[in-house]
Structures are given as C-alpha cells and as structure tokens.
Amino acid sequence: MDAILTSLANLEFYLVLAAVLGVAWGIVGGALPGISPSITMALLLPFTYALEPSIAIALLASTYVGAEYGGSIPAILIRTPGTNAAAASVIDGYEMNKQGKAGLALGISLYSGVIGSLVGLSALVLFSEPLARLALAFTPPAYFALGILGLSVIVSLSGESLVKGLIAALLGLMISTIGTDPVSGISRFTFGVSDLLSGIQPILIMVGLFAMSELLKQASAQNEIRVKAIPRIQFPDSKLKKRLILPQFIGALFGGFEGVMPGAGGTIASFMSYNEAKRWSKAKHEFGKGSPEGIAAPETANNTVAETSLIPLLSFGIPGSNSTAILLGGFLIHGLIPGPMLFARSGDIVGDLYVGLFFAAIALLFIGIAIMPVCIWLVNQPRPYLNAFIMALIMSGIYSINNSLFELSVVLVAGIIGYFMSLLKFPFLPTVLGLVLGFMIESNFRRSLLLSGDELSIFFNDRISLALLSVAALFIIGSLARPLIGFLFAGLKNKFTDNAGR
Amino acid sequence: MLSRDFVGGLVAIALGSLYLVFSFRQRVSALADTIGPAGIPKVLGILMVSLGIILCAQAIYQTSKSVVPASSEWKGEARKIFRAFGLLIIGVIYLFMLAFLGYVLSIALLLAAVAFYLGAAFNWRMMLIAAAGAVVLWTIFVILLGVPMPAGLFSQG
C-alpha cells in the first residue's frame, strides 16, 4: 500500500501515458483476429527496452487489459473472436448485433471489462504482497521447490496430451542449459559461438514462438472479413445495469479464481462464468439469443483474469499464462526478477504497476469508445499489409534491443520451432515455463546439494520446500485425477440414464 | 502415412538423442560439484528420448484404433509449409540486407516483399505504403527511441 501512495505522490505523466497507450495498443491488437493478447504484448516488448522499467512494465500490463476488451469487438461485429477469451462473447454478442444492438453489446462489454479490471486490480493489490512476503524466507531448496511447483502447472497446460506438454517443457529446459553453467562456470552447448555464452534471452524465444510463428502460419491463410458499419457505443441504462450486477459478480468471481490458478486463463473463466450466469439468470431463455448477461459475465471474467493472473507472477515469479510469460520477459529485459525480492528491492516499480493498471482500467472506458473507428478500419485493412507491418515491427524491435543480427536469427529459428510445434499440436507455454524456470531449478538444486553434502533430504527438511513440493504433488495429482473423475462420473451417469430409460 | 503425434515423437527422439550426445561430450571441470555441468542435461536428454518413444507408441496405438487414415491429417499441409518457408526466406534475406542497404531501405523492401508475397498487388499503392511504413518505423526507432539502426549505403564513413 505504501508503494501505491508513493507512486501516487510522485505520479509521472509518462506512467499515465503508458497506461493509456498500452490500453489503446491492446484494444487494437485484441481487435485483430489472430493476434492474441500475448502476441500484442510480444510485439511491444522490444520497444519497452528503451523505456524506464516502471513505464515499460505498466505499458505491457495495460496492453493486456486493453487486449482482453479488444477481443470482444470482432466477436460482436463479425462473429470472429479477436482473442480466445472473447469466444464466449460471440454467442450473445453477435446475436445482439443481428438485432441491431451492436452498440449496446459493445457498451456492455466495455462497461463489464472496466468493472472486471477494477475488481481484479483490488485482488492483485490485496494478495500479491502478503504472498511475496511469505516467499522472502526462501532458501535454495525452497527456490528449487518453487520452480518445480511452477513446472507442475504444465500438467494442466498440456491440453490434449500430457506427453506433448512435457516434451514442450523439456525443450524449454534444454534451451535454458545453453550458455554458462550456473555452478562451475563452464560453457555448455555454445559450439564456440560467443553470442551463446550468456545464454538465449527468453524474450527472443517468446517473440519467435508467439509472434513469428503466427505470421508463418498466416502466410497461407486467407480470411478477408469486413465490418460494414461503425456502431456507436451505447452504455446500459440503470435498469439494465442492475440486471448485470449478478453476471458481473459471477464473472469477477470466476475471473479472480481462474486468474490465480496457473494455466487456467481467461478462456476457461469466460466460459465457466457464462455457464453460471445462465444457470443463475431469471431470463435463461434469452441466453444464446442476444442476452446482455451473456456478454457481461464473460467480459467481466476475462478482464478480471488480466489482473489476477499477475498475482502468481509478482509473488512467486511464475507466469501462469502466455501473456504473463511475455510480461515476465518485460521484467527480465530490465534486469528485474519477479518474486519475493521484487517487492523488497523494487517496491516502487510494483507501486507504479498498480497505479498504471488503475489508470489503464479507467482509460479503457474512454479509449474503448474513441478507438472503435480505428479498430474497425484496421480490421478492414488487407491482411497482407497488416502482416507485413507486424513482421517489420518484430524485425525492427528485436534488433533495437542489442543491435544484434544474431538475436534476429534466433527469433527466426524460434519462429520455425513454433511453427512446427503448432503444426504438430504441441503447446507453447510449457516451453516458455521450462525456459524461464530452468535456470532457477538447476542452480538451486545443485546449490542445495552442495550445502547438504549431496543429501536429498534437504528438500524435505526445509519446511517451505516440503510445503511447495507437496502443493506441486497435489496439483499434479489433482490435474491428472480430474479427467479420470469426469470419465468415471460420465460412466455412472450413462449407467443411471440407461437404467432410468428401462 | 505417419500421424502428427508419431512425427512429433520421432522429432523428440532425434532431438533428445542429439542433445544426449553433446551432454556426454560436455567438458567437466575438476572443481565442479557432484552433478556437474552435464548432469542435468543428461537427465533431460534421457527424459526427452523416453517421452518421444511414449508419444510414438501412443500414436501407433491410436492410429490402429482410428477409422480415419493418418494421411488425412496432412491434407493441404505441404502447401502451407512451403508458403511459411517462403516468408522465412524473406526474413533471412532481410538479415543479410540490413547491414549493407541500411535500415530504411531494407525495411521498405521487407514491407513490400512480405505484402506482395502474402497476396497484395504489385502497384504504386504498395510501393507507397512500403515507403511510408519505412519512414514511420525509422521515425519511431531512430528518432523517438534513439536506436542506432544501420545506415548502410547512407553511412557517411
């Protein structure tokens, strides 16, 4: 709280500007189908290198906030969600558009997005620091256990195949071993290339995997969808606002919970809150036919997630989603390591981030209205030009970090890897997690063994380490058991239905 | 025909094996800890190969059960891969051009080449957009952010 007051007392114009520009960029990126919030953030990442750390972090986080709303614009207007999380808004948003209520649908989305952002921000401020304070007592075994807890998320991030998720994570862990060995100082897998001695920066892999691979994928895509009219945003009246309170509460609840749960993300939160909003609604029959509640719940949820997903990142340094992984990249390129020490050493940056996010939530309301024609103009632009500009942005932005052609080639290689991972249906996030957690896990594992004289019991004698490893084990067991329980329940249900049928 | 999972498994086995070979060749210092710089990489390599084998086995089992032939998974993919490869070549050419032609000219050519490759018509409009785009990017990076981009042909030295 002190950090927020200090930040407010020394409020910088550039911080507010970063929040506003971040939201604007996020809305534009989110509105472009195929450009996810993480890609929007990845494109911005190289630009942030030249900025002050607090401005850079606020800019990236505000972009995430803006992108979550931006995704609902094409979802409502052309039945094409700009982001995955906006997919739930298509159902009733597009129906309202067909009924000539596109402006109201967009207004509900924007209004709910602002509420979601503010609720999420409150949760972020309340929980991040206490959790980080807990982590201050961490020793090398505890850091190792924290890394393992971070990796355990892969079980729920792997999508259809756990084996593929694990292979993707191993790839990230392998990349993290390139460079100088953290304990002995000997070079590994550098093949005499001096540029590899300091390892491969996660930002290069992230931009390659998320942004470059998407461009390569779109090289053969042909989707020219046009928005014919520019609707005027119309906010709900007081009667409708009252009706939206319950779905917004449900959205904030699911958004808050799913945001903190690593790997869950905005998409699950949106669909779950949509489902629950329908269950609790007095006008269930309207769902799927243009219900305002059907937009309010998912839009509140995905904007809440944009804030609460920062809790595990700020407190423990563990990114639980693609977007927070990119934000982690933003911290790393400024020499900041999210986690317990961030609050102790760079509390001002955390304070600025909170204040920046507050301004971002407020700016969302105004920018959301003002930028609508720009978004529609951009959505209507021929895809070849848009993609050409995105490629030029990537190439310019990456070069601007260290003026290195080698780093540009790393991004291209990461793009190829990402393209083939996508083709073979491997998830990206485990690779990013492996990459960012690999160094922490290996160095602390080996340091712990050095301290204990090669006794593995050090990981169980340290209380925090034991607790974190237990949580990781529970998380893995829980994630593996969930589909099994679902399968068993489905079997029982079928049996029951069969018996009832007879 | 091989399914995507089977190919993924084969790639994992190949990658893991290659990584293992280099892990075993890793130089180890006399002052290193018990695990040493090659310890963790060896574990990672073995795990990668093992998971690759599991993925291949899963793929074979699923293909044998499936009524849809695995070849249907790859329909139209060859053309997409070639298209992506073409875009990648443009990126590589840009890397080689940057130091020689300088940032403004290279980025203008990149914009034009990518737009043309992705289907934009080659006309004055495209040239104008590429030139304007290059100027905008140059203004952002060189003037506003102060990044020293290569001057190439325009360098005074």
Side-chain angles (χ1 to χ4, degrees):
Chain A
M1 197 54 82
D2 290 343
I4 298 174
L5 294 175
T6 313
S7 177
L8 280 172
N10 307 310
L11 186 61
E12 272 189 75
F13 165 73
Y14 289 111
L15 184 67
V16 181
L17 186 68
V20 173
L21 290 179
V23 165
W25 176 251
I27 295 176
V28 168
L32 293 171
I35 309 291
S36 63
S38 49
I39 296 175
T40 313
M41 291 167 77
L43 289 173
L44 199 61
L45 202 49
F47 287 90
T48 63
Y49 189 70
L51 302 175
E52 268 184 44
S54 56
I55 307 288
I57 303 302
L59 182 70
L60 285 169
S62 307
T63 302
Y64 188 14
V65 173
E68 287 300 345
Y69 161 69
S72 71
I73 298 173
I76 290 166
L77 298 181
I78 52 176
R79 210 183 181 183
T80 308
T83 59
N84 290 338
S89 307
V90 169
I91 308 168
D92 285 286
Y94 189 67
E95 285 302 317
M96 281 185 78
N97 179 20
K98 282 202 298 190
Q99 294 160 17
K101 297 179 194 165
L104 180 61
L106 287 165
I108 293 168
S109 165
L110 187 52
Y111 169 65
S112 304
V114 173
I115 288 179
S117 293
L118 290 172
V119 172
L121 179 59
S122 311
L124 176 67
V125 174
L126 274 175
F127 297 114
S128 292
E129 198 170 355
L131 284 171
R133 219 176 293 142
L134 182 81
L136 267 176
F138 279 25
T139 51
Y143 273 112
F144 163 74
L146 182 65
I148 295 296
L149 177 64
L151 278 187
S152 70
V153 170
I154 290 161
V155 179
S156 65
L157 291 177
S158 300
E160 292 169 11
S161 166
L162 175 62
V163 178
K164 282 183 170 180
L166 291 173
I167 290 175
L170 280 174
L171 179 65
L173 287 167
M174 284 175 168
I175 298 171
S176 77
T177 60
I178 296 172
T180 307
D181 175 47
V183 177
S184 67
I186 287 176
S187 62
R188 295 187 296 190
F189 308 106
T190 54
F191 308 106
V193 180
S194 59
D195 287 300
L196 287 175
L197 278 174
S198 53
I200 294 178
Q201 283 193 54
I203 176 188
L204 305 176
I205 302 294
M206 290 178 194
V207 172
L209 284 184
F210 292 113
M212 186 55 79
S213 73
E214 185 61 35
L215 273 183
L216 295 177
K217 257 164 60 185
Q218 290 194 10
S220 52
Q222 284 178 340
N223 46 346
E224 297 287 333
I225 312 163
R226 297 185 78 81
V227 181
K228 285 162 193 121
I230 301 176
R232 222 181 127 99
I233 288 186
Q234 186 192 340
F235 287 108
D237 56 23
S238 54
K239 194 179 162 195
L240 185 54
K241 271 182 189 162
K242 226 173 174 179
R243 189 181 153 191
L244 296 180
I245 290 173
L246 182 63
Q248 282 166 342
F249 174 75
I250 291 169
L253 205 66
F254 278 93
F257 182 70
E258 297 290 348
V260 180
M261 290 297 293
T267 315
I268 297 175
S270 298
F271 277 102
M272 282 179 81
S273 58
Y274 180 88
N275 199 36
E276 288 309 307
K278 186 179 174 182
R279 190 203 301 264
W280 291 92
S281 173
K282 284 177 187 164
K284 286 188 188 68
H285 60 280
E286 280 186 29
F287 275 75
K289 294 170 191 160
S291 165
E293 294 167 69
I295 301 172
E299 285 303 315
T300 310
N302 63 38
N303 271 280
T304 309
V305 167
E307 315 272 350
T308 53
S309 63
L310 302 185
I311 295 175
L313 177 69
L314 292 183
S315 306
F316 302 115
I318 296 175
S321 64
N322 292 341
S323 303
T324 47
I326 301 289
L327 189 60
L328 173 65
F331 276 103
L332 294 178
I333 61 173
H334 285 96
L336 299 164
I337 300 169
M341 295 315 289
L342 182 73
F343 288 85
R345 288 184 189 154
S346 313
D348 54 330
I349 289 173
V350 180
D352 284 348
L353 172 63
Y354 291 158
V355 172
L357 281 171
F358 174 74
F359 281 105
I362 303 301
L364 184 61
L365 202 60
F366 302 102
I367 304 287
I369 300 169
I371 211 161
M372 177 65 68
V374 180
C375 290
I376 291 172
W377 180 78
L378 273 171
V379 169
N380 282 342
Q381 290 313 298
R383 206 70 200 186
Y385 287 113
L386 270 179
N387 286 349
F389 269 97
I390 291 171
M391 180 131 176
L393 265 182
I394 295 171
M395 301 305 252
S396 310
I398 292 297
Y399 184 84
S400 73
I401 297 176
N402 289 320
N403 298 339
S404 162
L405 285 176
F406 176 78
E407 291 187 350
L408 270 182
S409 57
V410 170
V411 170
L412 286 179
V413 172
I416 303 170
I417 294 173
Y419 178 80
F420 282 103
M421 281 178 75
S422 183
L423 183 75
L424 299 172
K425 298 193 175 2
F426 280 86
F428 290 158
L429 193 53
T431 306
V432 175
L433 272 177
L435 180 64
V436 295
L437 296 175
F439 182 85
M440 180 166 108
I441 291 172
E442 185 184 5
S443 59
N444 285 295
F445 179 68
R446 287 167 63 187
R447 272 183 205 132
S448 304
L449 289 184
L450 274 174
L451 286 172
S452 69
D454 293 334
E455 283 291 329
L456 283 169
S457 57
I458 191 171
F459 299 107
F460 304 103
N461 293 337
D462 184 293
R463 269 190 246 165
I464 300 174
S465 165
L466 181 64
L468 290 170
L469 287 174
S470 307
V471 174
L474 282 175
F475 192 80
I476 293 170
I477 294 166
S479 300
L480 290 175
R482 203 160 43 184
L484 192 70
I485 292 167
F487 177 75
L488 289 175
F489 265 97
L492 281 175
K493 201 176 162 188
N494 288 343
K495 209 171 174 182
F496 179 77
T497 320
D498 286 350
N499 287 340
R502 270 183 227 138
Chain B
M1 189 69 185
L2 309 172
S3 69
R4 280 178 210 257
D5 284 4
F6 190 78
V7 174
L10 287 182
V11 173
I13 293 168
L15 194 69
S17 308
L18 198 68
Y19 185 79
L20 258 182
V21 169
F22 287 111
S23 303
F24 277 103
R25 284 187 193 167
Q26 175 64 47
R27 191 167 56 91
V28 180
S29 158
L31 299 170
D33 54 321
T34 323
I35 293 175
I40 300 287
K42 281 177 191 167
V43 175
L44 295 178
I46 291 167
L47 281 173
M48 187 65 127
V49 173
S50 312
L51 286 168
I53 293 169
I54 293 172
L55 190 59
C56 283
Q58 277 184 346
I60 292 169
Y61 175 71
Q62 277 161 2
T63 312
S64 67
K65 272 179 65 184
S66 172
V67 284
V68 185
S71 57
S72 62
E73 282 187 36
W74 298 99
K75 205 175 173 186
E77 289 296 347
R79 193 189 72 85
K80 286 182 187 171
I81 293 171
F82 278 117
R83 289 284 301 166
F85 188 68
L87 190 60
L88 194 75
I89 297 285
I90 295 173
V92 174
I93 293 171
Y94 170 79
L95 284 188
F96 286 104
M97 283 193 317
L98 189 58
F100 175 65
L101 294 180
Y103 178 69
V104 181
L105 206 54
S106 307
I107 209 77
L109 287 172
L110 178 78
L111 281 166
V114 173
F116 178 66
Y117 184 73
L118 297 182
F122 187 77
N123 53 25
W124 282 107
R125 185 181 172 230
M126 189 185 83
M127 309 261 266
L128 201 69
I129 290 174
V135 172
V136 168
L137 289 170
W138 180 80
T139 309
I140 294 172
F141 283 98
V142 180
I143 305 293
L144 294 177
L145 296 176
V147 178
M149 291 293 195
L153 293 173
F154 301 105
S155 66
Q156 289 173 345

